[in-house]
Amino acid sequence: MARRFVVEADGGSRGNPGPAGYGAVVLDAETGEPLAEVAEYIGTATNNVAEYKGLIAGLRAAYALDPEAEVRVRMDSKLVIEQMSGRWKIKHPDMRPLAAEAKAIMPPGQLTYEWIPREKNKHADRLANEAMDAGKRGEQWQPKVPPGGTLAAGAPEAAAPADDALAEPAATGAPAVGWGAADLGTPATFVLLRHGETPLTPEKRFSGSGGTDPGLSDVGRHQAERVAAALAARGTIQAIVTSPLRRCRETAEAVARRLGLDVRVEEGLRETDFGAWEGLTFAEVKERHPDDLEAWLASSKVAPTGGGESFAAVTRRVALSRDKLIARYTGRTVLLVTHVTPIKTLVRLALGAPPETLFRMELSAASLSAVAYYADGNASLRLLNETAHLR
């Protein structure tokens, strides 16, 4: 029998747009017990953006507790409920990517949506106002209910809601404000390893998840052994997760042998499917599909010729895998063996950088990067494209 949760979410903007924040709570559907609280000040945003961000935060919190749970979402935003239920079209361009992000967190069959009046959404409303108040003070909001439930000692079960005239529905996932001194515990740290060279790598050919799935070349196998030795010397890796593609599995296995660890496969870490461009060089694609290439370079929503994946689609699945792995490996250091696009995407999302950033990063074969993920939802880039172990 699947667990059943209720997610209540709210967001507000004091100005619309103005200083904004979100709040969300995950409740046990049977007992009403709060299992997790999330909230964040997100800087300047509109009410609608804040509401969607609150929904995303609540769904992620529920997924972290149990990815197979049945979830009933309750919000006082008619717009979000009707759009996520599919009864209203999403016309505003700022809302579409947020709705897509929310839809990618959990399978639609596990979710139902219900509109509730504002007076029945006081818990989430209070959290949103607490987050905005904390942001105004230059502080980070701190949860009273840790993931898994149990109200913190001395915390009131329900504080009075803030003045409704100052707060409307809220948002999620923005950077913390100021230099908060709160102890957020040991982060989940992802050490990101690009696989070693394949025969296609030095020729700079498109090699994604829709091609021939090449293995490592002799050079690539040597690189894998070098990076394995370097990671063994550091002694910090506690688990290994890899893309399902052969070049990554071979690289991961070389490291696993040296470290004495098992390897877990994560489908979401696979490379982009480059469609009809698989195996071609950039120059060959430009010659054969010039218009498609130009459109692809101009927009992350455009897929390669022949039914490949857009970078927007890759971002959704990589973000979903990221959230699953953060929940699974809280406080641990994990090696993720993957590809150029997933690594660049994780770095871009950690920095809050725009999609075009993907074209402005260099990632060498068998290079190491690292991102740390903290309990408040923020991330810190710690390393990018290190190759000293190959010299």
Side-chain angles (χ1 to χ4, degrees):
M1 180 76 70
R3 296 178 70 185
R4 294 193 300 122
F5 298 147
V6 171
V7 169
E8 294 178 350
D10 199 4
S13 172
R14 296 171 179 174
N16 197 31
Y22 73 81
V25 57
V26 182
L27 306 170
D28 184 290
E30 300 295 333
T31 66
E33 175 192 3
L35 301 177
E37 290 180 339
V38 286
E40 193 69 69
Y41 172 72
I42 62 166
T44 300
T46 64
N47 289 333
N48 291 340
V49 167
E51 288 164 349
Y52 263 107
K53 296 266 189 181
L55 168 64
I56 292 166
L59 290 176
R60 284 180 174 167
Y63 186 93
L65 289 169
D66 187 342
E68 298 181 356
E70 295 177 0
V71 177
R72 186 166 193 81
V73 176
R74 300 196 300 210
M75 297 179 67
D76 60 52
S77 169
K78 189 76 170 174
L79 175 78
V80 174
I81 292 299
E82 294 299 316
Q83 289 182 341
M84 292 301 295
S85 298
R87 291 185 289 270
W88 290 3
K89 291 184 178 180
I90 305 173
K91 298 180 180 179
H92 198 288
D94 290 347
M95 300 301 107
R96 291 184 192 130
L98 293 172
E101 185 177 356
K103 290 176 181 177
I105 295 171
M106 302 186 80
Q110 294 174 213
L111 296 171
T112 56
Y113 289 89
E114 176 189 358
W115 177 84
I116 56 175
R118 189 181 186 88
E119 59 269 19
K120 292 189 177 181
N121 203 27
K122 290 183 178 180
H123 194 147
D125 177 75
R126 169 173 59 83
L127 295 175
N129 279 281
E130 288 179 1
M132 286 185 281
D133 290 341
K136 185 176 181 180
R137 298 190 301 268
E139 300 174 356
Q140 295 177 356
W141 176 87
Q142 293 299 306
K144 297 182 178 68
V145 179
T150 309
L151 207 64
E157 188 162 352
D163 185 352
D164 284 351
L166 295 178
E168 299 182 39
T172 144
V177 174
W179 297 88
D183 181 7
L184 298 176
T186 304
T189 301
F190 293 170
V191 178
L192 309 172
L193 170 60
R194 185 188 171 194
H195 60 81
E197 280 192 12
T198 76
L200 299 180
T201 306
E203 298 179 8
K204 298 187 181 299
R205 295 184 179 275
F206 283 93
S207 182
S209 58
T212 58
D213 194 15
L216 297 178
S217 64
D218 290 341
V219 171
R221 284 188 285 272
H222 177 70
Q223 291 172 331
E225 294 298 336
R226 294 290 296 271
V227 75
L231 291 170
R234 297 184 187 188
T236 56
I237 301 299
Q238 298 169 288
I240 301 174
V241 180
T242 184
S243 155
L245 299 184
R246 181 181 169 193
R247 52 198 181 272
C248 286
R249 288 189 286 105
E250 290 179 354
T251 304
E253 287 161 6
V255 178
R257 285 194 298 270
R258 183 67 72 101
L259 300 186
L261 295 172
D262 294 328
V263 177
R264 176 188 289 268
V265 174
E266 171 56 45
E267 290 289 332
L269 295 180
R270 68 185 185 278
E271 182 56 288
T272 307
D273 181 346
F274 291 110
W277 302 352
E278 293 280 357
L280 302 180
T281 64
F282 189 89
E284 289 169 339
V285 172
K286 188 173 183 179
E287 179 182 354
R288 300 180 193 185
H289 309 284
D291 293 341
D292 290 353
L293 180 62
E294 183 177 356
W296 180 72
L297 292 172
S299 173
S300 64
K301 298 178 182 178
V302 173
T305 308
E309 277 184 298
S310 70
F311 282 145
V314 174
T315 297
R316 288 193 290 272
R317 67 167 163 83
V318 168
L320 182 57
S321 289
R322 174 201 61 191
D323 293 345
K324 287 166 53 180
L325 294 170
I326 289 172
R328 180 179 294 145
Y329 295 109
T330 300
R332 303 175 70 189
T333 299
V334 185
L335 181 70
L336 305 189
V337 186
T338 180
H339 309 263
V340 169
T341 309
I343 292 174
K344 288 184 177 182
T345 297
L346 289 168
V347 170
R348 179 181 78 77
L349 294 175
L351 296 175
E356 56 265 30
T357 310
L358 293 176
F359 298 111
R360 299 174 185 172
M361 284 184 268
E362 176 70 24
L363 278 177
S364 303
S367 64
L368 291 168
S369 302
V371 180
Y373 298 90
Y374 293 88
D376 65 347
N378 288 300
S380 173
L381 177 64
R382 295 189 169 183
L383 188 69
L384 182 65
N385 197 39
E386 183 192 337
T387 58
H389 49 278
L390 302 177
R391 296 175 193 148

